[in-house]
Amino acid sequence: MIKTYAEALQFIHGRDRFKKKPTLTRMREFMALLGNPQDQLKMIHVAGTNGKGSTVAFLRDLFLAEGATVGTFTSPFITRFNERISVNGEPISDADLLADVQHIEPIVAQLDAQLGPEGPTEFEIDTALMFSYFAAHPVDVVVVEVGLGGKYDSTNIITPAVSVITTIGMDHMKILGDTIPKIAAQKAGIIKPGVPVVCGRLTPDALAVMDQTAAANDTQVRALDRDFRVTNRPEHEWGERFDYAWGDHRWRRLQIDLLGQYQIDNAATALTAYITYHQLMQTRVKIAEIRQGLQHTTWPGRFERLANEPLIAIDGAHNEPAMVEMAQLLRQHFSGHDIYIILAVLADKQYTQMVKTLMKVPQVHLVVTQFQGPGKRAAATPQELEDAVASHKHITMAPDWPTALKSVLASISADDLVLLTGSLYFISEVRQYFKGTDE
């Protein structure tokens, strides 16, 4: 019997992360034994290579601005596991998480006895906890982030009101496929019959997969740059401003507090999904609430400021497509500054290409280092990162990130930028160091 919060976390994290054969059969059986709590919920389903977390945050704050109660399911967490299941941005309490684990534990034991080594995975248990929690603690809408891929993700047993696919890029290739169309096909697996689909900035071959899948499911895609559009209105202040146009909805100078063209894309994608949801519910949207929701959105670890003078920021960019976006952001907002990047990456990522992309940005000084990888996933060593690129005078090594940060801070001026990036797990460690764990 699980009696404490610590035992509940141990129960969750002690499970296998993956099974050899992808399937939703086990998850459907799991939910049936719990009484199919997911069928009681109104949901928006969000998949994509990058941008999922920010898009979920924009959706959450758009609904919050109109006074709705919003549940979110996100991964990975930045500081504490409880963040994965949140209501109005507040993580589930330790007591509620413990009660939720105690509720599902007998079902997991039953499935283990029945399936042996093919019992539920860690993420299937996370997902089951979320569905059962929101069924027992009703909210107006739940925004559900896909864990990995789409087609075989454990969240993909739902029929949402709206499906969202943010971006398609090269990541998790061993699991999802080694081409954009193959990866797109996995993400398109969340498209359901008659459920409208909103897509962010996709390449033509990825969008073609979405259109074909939607047509086969008697629904339509609303795509950024084709059906709805944004126009960047750059300013020198922190944040971004943009115009939005989709059909009769035309609004100027919407403002967000997150940096980067890709955050404008995420905001517009979330806004289109939000409008689509209201069209389905036959309710109106109000521009004052939209402006308020977008402007108040924050998302930990997405070019998040930890200190000023010098500006120290963290960003969870952890794959090559995200580094391309990061390089664009740095060129646009920090072209007149020296940029010191402290990079730590998981060993299973395309770190060679990530380093090369960052080194193309003018004024970049790169310090490669390492951190404690999560569970069995190793972080790339500084030596591996250095070996990944040709000898470069602007690349140095450090044995760990606190040493790297100390050496960088000793040599920079007040108007330089220090950016720690390369992995969500890495920046989680950094964020806890700066902000403490008692938020």
Side-chain angles (χ1 to χ4, degrees):
M1 178 67 183
I2 295 164
K3 294 181 180 177
T4 66
Y5 171 77
E7 288 173 356
L9 285 187
Q10 200 174 345
F11 167 76
I12 294 164
H13 296 319
R15 307 294 301 192
D16 290 341
R17 292 187 73 243
F18 296 108
K19 301 293 184 186
K20 285 182 180 176
K21 187 180 177 186
T23 177
L24 288 177
T25 305
R26 178 177 51 243
M27 191 65 196
R28 289 198 177 100
E29 191 172 347
F30 194 175
M31 289 299 97
L33 290 169
L34 282 168
N36 286 315
Q38 76 280 5
D39 292 346
Q40 301 173 39
L41 310 175
K42 288 180 183 172
M43 290 176 277
I44 296 176
H45 204 188
V46 182
T49 302
N50 293 313
K52 295 189 295 290
S54 299
T55 301
V56 169
F58 282 121
L59 274 164
R60 175 198 66 205
D61 286 4
L62 284 164
F63 281 108
L64 280 177
E66 67 176 47
T69 306
V70 192
T72 52
F73 180 58
T74 55
S75 62
F77 58 91
I78 299 295
T79 306
R80 300 187 79 222
F81 176 86
N82 304 44
E83 296 163 27
R84 286 192 157 188
I85 302 168
S86 295
V87 177
N88 294 352
E90 287 298 314
I92 184 174
S93 70
D94 291 0
D96 281 344
L97 182 66
L98 173 58
D100 209 10
V101 169
Q102 289 170 336
H103 172 62
I104 73 156
E105 194 267 340
I107 305 296
V108 174
Q110 184 179 337
L111 286 166
D112 283 346
Q114 187 181 321
L115 301 171
E118 291 303 307
T121 65
E122 178 178 346
F123 192 72
E124 285 168 347
I125 286 171
D126 296 344
T127 308
L129 288 167
M130 177 267 295
F131 287 142
S132 61
Y133 179 77
F134 288 127
H137 303 79
V139 293
D140 295 315
V141 61
V142 183
V143 187
V144 176
E145 180 185 335
V146 166
L148 175 62
K151 185 176 182 179
Y152 293 111
D153 188 77
S154 59
T155 63
N156 200 30
I157 57 164
I158 66 174
T159 301
V162 184
S163 298
V164 180
I165 294 152
T166 56
T167 60
I168 305 289
M170 301 298 274
D171 196 18
H172 299 293
M173 283 94 77
K174 288 178 183 173
I175 300 169
L176 302 180
D178 56 3
T179 68
I180 291 293
K182 284 180 186 174
I183 294 171
Q186 289 291 324
K187 310 284 186 191
I190 72 164
I191 295 173
K192 303 292 193 310
V195 175
V197 184
V198 176
C199 289
R201 193 179 297 278
L202 303 188
T203 56
D205 52 352
L207 184 55
V209 173
M210 300 305 156
D211 285 333
Q212 289 159 12
T213 310
N217 282 277
D218 294 321
T219 189
Q220 287 185 315
V221 171
R222 298 143 166 87
L224 177 59
D225 276 350
R226 182 184 71 188
D227 306 300
F228 62 100
R229 297 178 186 280
V230 290
T231 307
N232 192 345
R233 301 291 182 199
E235 289 195 8
H236 292 303
E237 297 166 35
W238 187 272
E240 302 283 0
R241 285 142 199 83
F242 64 97
D243 300 342
Y244 173 89
W246 178 38
D248 295 335
H249 302 289
R250 293 175 180 273
W251 297 307
R252 292 177 59 80
R253 300 189 63 74
L254 298 174
Q255 186 172 335
I256 57 175
D257 196 47
L258 300 173
L259 279 185
Q261 173 64 44
Y262 54 95
Q263 294 295 11
I264 294 176
D265 294 350
N266 294 335
T269 302
L271 178 54
T272 306
Y274 172 78
I275 296 167
T276 301
Y277 182 89
H278 279 277
Q279 289 172 342
L280 293 168
M281 301 298 154
Q282 298 184 319
T283 48
R284 295 185 63 178
V285 298
K286 298 177 182 175
I287 181 56
E289 292 171 351
I290 287 168
R291 287 189 186 281
Q292 180 189 337
L294 293 177
Q295 195 166 344
H296 282 87
T297 299
T298 59
W299 191 234
R302 301 331 190 264
F303 220 91
E304 180 184 7
R305 277 183 290 190
L306 299 181
N308 291 305
E309 291 190 0
L311 178 59
I312 301 175
I314 53 174
D315 193 281
H318 56 278
N319 51 36
E320 171 56 12
M323 284 303 167
V324 171
E325 293 173 339
M326 172 69 67
Q328 183 185 349
L329 183 160
L330 293 172
R331 286 189 187 96
Q332 184 177 336
H333 286 273
F334 299 98
S335 59
H337 303 258
D338 271 318
I339 302 165
Y340 292 82
I341 298 176
I342 299 172
L343 180 74
V345 184
L346 286 172
D348 57 5
K349 298 294 181 180
Q350 293 177 293
Y351 49 77
T352 308
Q353 200 53 48
M354 290 161 74
V355 168
K356 287 180 179 175
T357 297
L358 291 174
M359 291 313 299
K360 289 176 185 171
V361 180
Q363 263 71 52
V364 159
H365 308 264
L366 188 63
V367 184
V368 294
T369 187
Q370 60 190 345
F371 68 107
Q372 188 67 46
K376 297 173 185 172
R377 296 180 74 188
T381 65
Q383 193 61 54
E384 285 175 313
L385 286 168
E386 193 185 47
D387 291 347
V389 290
S391 171
H392 201 295
K393 66 179 181 180
H394 290 302
I395 298 180
T396 56
M397 286 197 307
D400 54 65
W401 71 263
T403 303
L405 183 60
K406 192 175 178 183
S407 68
V408 165
L409 291 176
S411 61
I412 64 172
S413 64
D415 57 354
D416 293 341
L417 166 67
V418 181
L419 173 65
L420 297 97
T421 188
S423 163
L424 282 163
Y425 298 102
F426 168 47
I427 59 131
S428 169
E429 211 173 285
V430 176
R431 194 173 189 273
Q432 288 183 51
Y433 173 83
F434 273 86
K435 292 182 173 283
T437 55
D438 55 344
E439 291 182 274

